[in-house]
Amino acid sequence: MSGFIGILNGDGQPIDFDLLHRMTDLMSPQGPDAQETWGNAHIGFGHALLRTTWESETERQPHSLDGAVWITGDIRLDRRDELVDRLRASGCRFDKEVPDVDLMLHAYRVWEADCVERVSGDFAFAIWDSRSQRLFCARDHFGIVPFYYAETKNALILGSHIDCLRLHPQVSDRLNERAIGDFLLASMNLDFTTTVFADIRKLPPAHTLIWSDGKLRVQRYWQLPEVAQEYVRYSRREEYIERFRELFERAITDRLRTDRVGTYLSGGMDSTSVAATAYRLMTATDSSVDFRAYTIIFNALIFDDEGDYAAQVAEKAGFSIEYLAAEDYVRQAPEKRPEYPFPEPLAFSSHSAELEIMRRVAGYSRVLLSGMGGDPALTLPWSHWISLLRRNQLSRLARDTLEYIRAFHRPPGFGLRTQMRGWLREWRDPFDLPDWIKPDYVERIGLKARYREFMAAVKFPPMRSHYGMLAAPLWSHIFATAAPGFAGPPTKTRYPFFDVRLVSYLQSIPPIPWLERKFLLREAMKGILPKTVRLRPKRVLRSNPHYNLARQRGVQPWMEELLTIPAIAPYVDGECVLQRLRAKDFTSITYRQIYLALVLAYWLNLENDKQG
């Protein structure tokens, strides 16, 4: 598992093995268990292994079954038993405990390009088939594992680490100005296919990349429907809960396969359900497991009682919990020379308690469980009703409305007031870009039109629906930035809610009552979570600790230093930003935009140091 790299010289020239070795060695901090390379004429693979499952103890990559077809990748498969049975029925012979990479290679031998339609899990890989002189690559359904590539005049370079691709002499350091604009507006790249580097692209989730006869083809292999055509109907209410619990436990079990695990733990329903269920499943068969939970709390900058709820869950389940005070990180100045600079702009690494959790988990485990995804998977968005109206699905609208009244004894909120507030806000406060973004840069990349597109999408946010778990750029952005090749620590984050079978089931059941305020999860967690946690309403952090600290302290020396570096000048007027900070009359929203400008300046400065 973990890091992989590949080079294909389309002009037939032999591989530069010294370059391939340097690329592979660069991944060794994130893949410390083994580093190996393979090459044949104009194709070469490199791999840095991070063992995260019992089966991976015997894993070797790059790998071949017959010397003709080779694979390298980061692969963790779901439903191994079912896949093993299907492959054996197709004539494959292997030990049941073979690593996942072997199973994927067998699947390719049996079904070739259709193999991705018969497997699920977290994966990105490249397969070289010397028989047909074809390179076949794929990325998993939700984009959990990153996949980057660069197509140059003579070569195709691919892998899971951006910095490795940048070692290739034909990959330039030229920046993608649209991605920089996206970051300044939305804190992430809104394009599924690009990175901050103009020459380096991303393979979108649920897509394959095929090189054959000198041509590159990228195509989708799976799409979650925006809405279910028909709902699954059970005769008994308990059947919905039982089926969910079965799939939820299976999703967690597939992502464990180890006896040492760390987990994020807030006081909400999602992470607590994952943590309590995982600990129960692990200790049911082995009492010597090492299971540790981590909770981020706020002591001063904002009021937050998440730690109290998290403590109740840990006490009931029986595992230990460790607290990290967010203020300890927010108050730090950015590191001049971070141990592992992020390959793309993201945040100040020294401000991230989440990154510190990854480091701590890496000291004893390779797996970190996350409850991310519970909101879109288990919550009925207010836009559900408007979506039905827009699609003219009036019979389903009437049926869902009656189901809601029957279940909750009141009519649903159709989101009209929310929509009206949005329209009024736009009428009162027409959006204008921050005045510290350089006008010539705004004009050059069409930033105003880009932002209008973004705001139009936010009106009906797909990220808060099942469909958005694949279609919204937020999620694959989160996965990519938590990956070892981006964050740094050799720890793989697992997301049980992003399980194909689980998500498909949740989309197929009647949304009322099961997806109203996570009703299904609350029912399934009876006896597992404390009642105070199980029945507490959804809460959103209403304040920004960075903003509160900035109001208290004012302009810090490191802010002045960053906003005067030459690298930020093409994009941001640093003096204008400093004037806003000195005035102290900025709002939380304004400071969020300022913070992004500071982060971009910090990243650009580190890039200059790296290139210098």
Side-chain angles (χ1 to χ4, degrees):
M1 293 187 179
S2 199
F4 66 94
I5 192 76
I7 304 174
L8 172 65
N9 288 336
D11 58 2
Q13 292 298 308
I15 289 296
D16 181 344
F17 276 95
D18 179 65
L19 173 63
L20 185 62
H21 286 304
R22 285 191 287 117
M23 288 176 160
T24 304
D25 289 342
L26 188 64
M27 300 184 291
S28 59
Q30 292 75 47
D33 296 324
Q35 299 85 41
E36 296 189 42
T37 60
W38 164 85
N40 184 12
H42 63 296
I43 176 77
F45 288 156
H47 189 270
L49 179 63
L50 179 70
R51 294 191 172 98
T52 61
T53 65
W54 290 308
E55 296 85 4
S56 63
E57 290 301 317
T58 60
E59 182 174 335
R60 296 286 300 273
Q61 288 198 51
H63 181 58
S64 178
L65 299 173
D66 55 9
V69 180
W70 286 82
I71 186 171
T72 188
D74 183 349
I75 303 168
R76 185 208 57 79
L77 297 177
D78 293 331
R79 296 172 281 166
R80 276 177 53 96
D81 292 344
E82 298 172 29
L83 180 59
V84 165
D85 290 342
R86 291 201 304 271
L87 289 172
R88 285 179 171 173
S90 300
C92 298
R93 296 291 176 264
F94 49 80
D95 184 81
K96 192 172 184 179
E97 300 305 318
V98 296
D100 288 353
V101 64
D102 290 59
L103 293 180
M104 184 65 82
L105 196 50
H106 279 288
Y108 175 80
R109 292 183 67 184
V110 173
W111 300 302
E112 294 196 338
D114 292 338
C115 65
V116 289
E117 299 175 16
R118 292 171 167 83
V119 300
S120 64
D122 309 340
F123 58 78
F125 63 83
I127 292 177
W128 173 250
D129 191 336
S130 63
R131 302 166 304 182
S132 57
Q133 292 292 292
R134 179 177 72 168
L135 182 70
F136 175 75
C137 309
R139 190 178 180 197
D140 65 76
H141 300 69
F142 296 110
I144 307 291
V145 181
F147 188 110
Y148 305 101
Y149 69 98
E151 187 179 16
T152 70
K153 180 179 179 181
N154 301 319
L156 174 65
I157 310 101
L158 56 90
S160 56
H161 289 45
I162 290 178
D163 285 345
C164 291
L165 272 68
R166 295 181 64 192
L167 286 180
H168 197 283
Q170 294 182 27
V171 177
S172 76
D173 295 323
R174 185 167 52 94
L175 298 179
N176 173 8
E177 291 198 325
R178 285 182 67 96
I180 290 175
D182 282 356
F183 179 79
L184 287 171
L185 294 178
S187 74
M188 63 180 174
N189 188 350
L190 300 174
D191 191 332
F192 276 108
T193 65
T194 66
T195 70
V196 75
F197 297 102
D199 288 351
I200 301 177
R201 301 182 64 80
K202 293 180 292 191
L203 183 65
H207 277 67
T208 59
L209 179 151
I210 300 174
W211 182 94
S212 181
D213 296 326
K215 298 179 180 178
L216 192 68
R217 185 172 77 254
V218 174
Q219 62 187 32
R220 179 182 293 279
Y221 67 82
W222 179 76
Q223 174 67 67
L224 188 70
E226 191 163 355
V227 293
Q229 296 301 313
E230 294 292 336
Y231 294 142
V232 172
R233 300 284 179 177
Y234 291 126
S235 58
R236 294 185 304 111
R237 168 192 177 101
E238 291 74 16
E239 291 181 82
Y240 291 98
I241 301 170
E242 292 167 0
R243 181 57 174 161
F244 167 75
R245 191 179 289 123
E246 174 191 345
L247 292 173
F248 187 53
E249 291 182 358
R250 182 60 188 269
I252 292 173
T253 300
D254 283 342
R255 285 156 181 79
L256 289 174
R257 292 156 58 188
T258 179
D259 55 7
R260 293 172 293 171
V261 172
T263 184
Y264 292 113
L265 190 69
S266 72
M269 281 293 299
D270 305 335
S271 63
T272 55
S273 298
V274 169
T277 302
Y279 185 70
R280 179 171 56 83
L281 292 171
M282 292 176 71
T283 54
T285 56
D286 186 355
S287 60
S288 63
V289 301
D290 189 349
F291 187 95
R292 307 182 199 181
Y294 300 86
T295 297
I296 300 172
I297 58 174
F298 293 88
N299 292 324
L301 291 174
I302 61 175
F303 171 75
D304 178 42
D305 56 357
E306 291 295 296
D308 296 335
Y309 288 103
Q312 295 176 40
V313 174
E315 182 179 3
K316 182 175 179 63
F319 53 76
S320 63
I321 185 170
E322 188 173 342
Y323 298 96
L324 287 79
E327 286 89 351
D328 294 344
Y329 304 91
V330 174
R331 289 191 175 109
Q332 296 180 23
E335 297 174 291
K336 292 279 188 179
R337 298 287 184 272
E339 179 182 354
Y340 190 80
F342 295 143
E344 294 188 276
L346 175 65
F348 300 119
S349 57
S350 57
H351 285 185
S352 175
E354 289 83 357
L355 185 57
E356 176 59 23
I357 291 174
M358 292 183 185
R359 293 191 186 104
R360 295 188 185 190
V361 172
Y364 66 93
S365 176
R366 300 289 176 75
V367 176
L368 178 59
L369 288 177
S370 170
M372 195 75 68
D375 283 344
L378 289 153
T379 304
L380 180 69
W382 62 262
S383 58
H384 168 75
W385 312 98
I386 295 178
S387 297
L388 293 178
L389 279 172
R390 292 171 71 198
R391 295 183 180 85
N392 202 32
Q393 295 178 309
L394 301 183
S395 60
R396 182 174 290 189
L397 175 64
R399 185 169 60 186
D400 284 358
T401 302
L402 290 174
E403 290 281 0
Y404 192 101
I405 294 172
R406 185 179 298 117
F408 300 105
H409 309 292
R410 58 184 172 81
F414 292 108
L416 297 178
R417 284 181 297 177
T418 303
Q419 186 71 9
M420 284 297 295
R421 282 196 297 268
W423 288 332
L424 287 172
R425 186 165 55 248
E426 289 176 15
W427 178 71
R428 290 196 309 265
D429 283 320
F431 171 78
D432 198 8
L433 291 171
D435 57 3
W436 58 81
I437 300 182
K438 291 289 187 71
D440 59 331
Y441 171 60
V442 171
E443 185 69 25
R444 187 164 68 246
I445 68 169
L447 194 58
K448 285 187 177 181
R450 182 73 163 172
Y451 191 79
R452 281 195 294 269
E453 293 173 9
F454 171 63
M455 291 303 293
V458 169
K459 286 184 182 179
F460 295 93
M463 67 184 69
R464 299 182 184 178
S465 67
H466 301 116
Y467 178 73
M469 296 175 82
L470 171 67
L474 170 69
W475 303 113
S476 61
H477 166 76
I478 289 173
F479 304 145
T481 55
F486 196 109
T491 304
K492 297 291 289 187
T493 305
R494 306 296 194 202
Y495 307 89
F497 282 112
F498 285 88
D499 180 277
V500 172
R501 182 175 287 189
L502 179 64
V503 172
S504 298
Y505 170 72
L506 291 171
Q507 190 186 47
S508 72
I509 62 176
I512 307 299
W514 303 111
L515 301 184
E516 175 63 14
R517 296 180 176 86
K518 301 184 181 177
F519 181 70
L520 179 59
L521 184 62
R522 297 179 194 277
E523 290 295 297
M525 290 297 110
K526 282 183 176 179
I528 299 174
L529 296 181
K531 188 175 181 179
T532 52
V533 174
R534 194 173 59 81
L535 298 182
R536 69 179 296 220
K538 171 72 175 177
R539 283 187 50 187
V540 178
L541 206 60
R542 295 296 182 185
S543 187
N544 184 330
H546 295 278
Y547 166 70
N548 292 343
L549 185 64
R551 292 296 299 270
Q552 292 175 15
R553 289 186 171 181
V555 178
Q556 298 296 295
W558 63 266
M559 296 178 178
E560 293 182 330
E561 183 179 344
L562 285 177
L563 291 170
T564 56
I565 65 170
I568 196 67
Y571 315 108
V572 170
D573 184 335
E575 183 56 39
C576 184
V577 176
L578 286 171
Q579 288 176 9
R580 286 291 185 89
L581 286 170
R582 292 185 182 113
K584 286 193 178 181
D585 59 352
F586 49 83
T587 65
S588 178
I589 293 176
T590 299
Y591 184 74
R592 177 181 175 276
Q593 295 170 325
I594 291 174
Y595 185 81
L596 293 174
L598 289 166
V599 169
L600 178 62
Y602 177 71
W603 182 83
L604 289 170
N605 197 40
L606 293 177
E607 272 297 299
N608 283 349
D609 290 347
K610 190 185 300 184
Q611 295 173 26

